[in-house]
């Protein structure tokens, strides 16, 4: 697919309505920063909360404002027919690839998960990234299932959950995934706090929540890792420790990112789709402290 930094921006939804100027502002700053790909409608993009029309519009706007930066569109949904509609909309908008999470209300069997990917890959020529995010989708992948899905034509990458922070367990995890999938299928790491561990263990892609709002610090880590400058990468990651602490304090990266984005006036207040709520007073204070501690407003982000 597109190795390097994949930035996952928010979908601003103040008053439960898509804020097109705020979204295009986020997309344009990502393209200007020089990230490797923009992935809209991931979990950070609140895809599960949006209508089909809203999702189609998000992809249209992203492609229109991303310049030469490839746009990958999340197409996950509960029903296969809905996935195929989102896929068709993404193709019509000019997306360069799709991200597919198998969502579940009823638990899915491995045969059902494999069947979903088989139908989607048969329906498109776009490269497909497998999205393994059990926290939000309630779907568990085995390494063996990775291998079965990755053997399908059109599967280009697998986005795996965070690896252990210790180098040897992280290496073992990534090597197990790598051994199960064809060589051309890239492995992407998610969970920003574990990104460096994943990159050092052999992941080719960082699927970054932070990068969707603050691309420069995420790029600093990514480019140092790609060059094998591990001390520089570690130093850059260590400087972001207050960000990971903010994410934990907010109960997850989505709410933590919203707190940062509001603090930096990148999105308006109340940008999460209801019933999700934005940062409370404590989270806003914490976000302000993080911006100061990490020097984010002083590096062209504010």
């Amino acid at each position: 697919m597109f190795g390097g930094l994949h930035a996952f921006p928010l979908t601003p939804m103040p008053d439960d309505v898509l804020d097109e100027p705020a979204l295009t502002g986020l997309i344009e700053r990502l393209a200007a920063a020089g990230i490797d790909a923009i992935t809209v409608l991931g979990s950070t993009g609140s895809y599960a909360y949006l209508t089909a029309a809203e999702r189609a519009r998000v992809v249209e706007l992203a492609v229109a404002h991303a310049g030469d930066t490839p746009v990958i569109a999340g197409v996950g949904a509960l029903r296969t027919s809905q996935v195929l509609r989102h896929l068709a909309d993404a193709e019509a908008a000019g997306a360069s690839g799709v991200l597919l999470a198998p969502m579940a209300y009823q638990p899915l069997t491995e045969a059902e998960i494999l069947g979903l990917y088989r139908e989607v890959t048969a329906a498109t020529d776009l490269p497909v990234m497998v999205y393994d995010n059990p926290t939000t989708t309630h779907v568990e992948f085995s390494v063996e299932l990775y291998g079965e899905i990755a053997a399908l034509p059109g599967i280009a990458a697998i986005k795996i959950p965070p690896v252990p922070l210790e180098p040897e367990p992280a290496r073992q995890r990534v090597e197990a995934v790598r051994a199960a999938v064809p060589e051309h299928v890239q492995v992407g790491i998610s969970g920003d706090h574990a990104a460096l561990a994943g990159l050092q263990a052999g992941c080719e892609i960082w699927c970054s929540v932070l990068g969707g709002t603050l691309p420069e610090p995420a790029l600093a880590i990514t480019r140092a890792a790609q060059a094998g400058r591990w001390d520089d990468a570690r130093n850059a990651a260590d400087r972001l420790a207050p960000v990971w602490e903010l994410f934990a304090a907010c109960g997850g990266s989505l709410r933590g990112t919203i707190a940062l984005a509001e603090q930096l006036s990148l999105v308006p207040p109340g940008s999460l789709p209801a019933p999700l709520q934005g940062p409370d007073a404590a989270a806003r204070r914490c976000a302000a402290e993080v911006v100061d501690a990490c020097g984010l407003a002083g590096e062209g982000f504010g």
Side-chain angles (χ1 to χ4, degrees), residues 68-82:
D68 295 331
T69 305
V71 172
I72 300 169
V75 296
L78 287 172
R79 294 166 54 195
T80 300
S81 59
Q82 294 169 336

Side-chain angles (χ1 to χ4, degrees), residues 20-283:
E20 295 191 3
L23 174 65
T24 57
L26 292 173
I27 298 298
E28 288 171 353
R29 56 188 274 109
L30 295 178
I35 54 102
D36 298 294
I38 298 170
T39 302
V40 293
L41 302 175
S43 295
T44 309
S46 303
Y47 73 99
Y49 294 88
L50 306 185
T51 67
E54 288 168 339
R55 291 170 67 159
R57 183 58 176 159
V58 167
V59 184
E60 290 174 356
L61 289 168
V63 171
H65 291 268
D68 295 331
T69 305
V71 172
I72 300 169
V75 296
L78 287 172
R79 294 166 54 195
T80 300
S81 59
Q82 294 169 336
V83 172
L84 295 176
R85 174 178 175 177
H86 299 320
L87 172 63
D89 289 341
E91 289 179 325
S96 298
V98 295
L99 174 74
L100 175 56
M103 298 172 63
Y105 181 80
Q106 298 293 339
L108 298 177
T109 67
E110 290 201 347
E112 289 166 339
I113 298 168
L114 180 60
L116 170 64
Y117 283 96
R118 184 177 288 118
E119 287 203 46
V120 168
T121 54
T124 186
D125 292 327
L126 292 178
V128 177
M129 175 183 279
V130 177
Y131 185 8
D132 182 2
N133 188 357
T135 301
T136 57
T137 63
H138 312 297
V139 173
E140 298 281 349
F141 285 78
S142 65
V143 172
E144 293 73 22
L145 182 57
Y146 283 155
E148 291 185 87
I149 295 172
L152 296 171
I155 299 295
I158 294 176
K159 175 180 179 285
I160 66 172
V163 297
L165 298 181
E166 298 78 15
E168 184 58 22
R171 182 188 64 78
Q172 291 176 1
R173 175 60 178 164
V174 174
E175 286 186 355
V177 175
R178 170 55 60 206
V181 305
E183 185 175 353
H184 72 273
V185 175
Q186 295 180 316
V187 178
I189 185 66
S190 60
D192 283 4
H193 71 285
L196 182 56
L199 293 171
Q200 195 158 12
C203 292
E204 296 101 334
I205 300 170
W206 176 12
C207 301
S208 178
V209 173
L210 179 68
T213 298
L214 298 172
E216 286 86 351
L219 271 171
I221 297 170
T222 305
R223 297 297 182 244
Q226 289 175 318
R229 294 185 283 106
W230 297 112
D231 287 344
D232 291 343
R234 172 58 60 193
N235 289 336
D238 287 347
R239 287 195 292 271
L240 294 176
V243 175
W244 317 146
E245 294 169 4
L246 171 67
F247 287 2
C250 289
S253 59
L254 173 60
R255 289 182 171 88
T257 301
I258 278 285
L260 285 175
E262 288 189 10
Q263 178 65 29
L264 296 169
S265 299
L266 298 175
V267 300
S271 280
L272 291 178
L276 299 178
Q277 297 182 4
D280 59 17

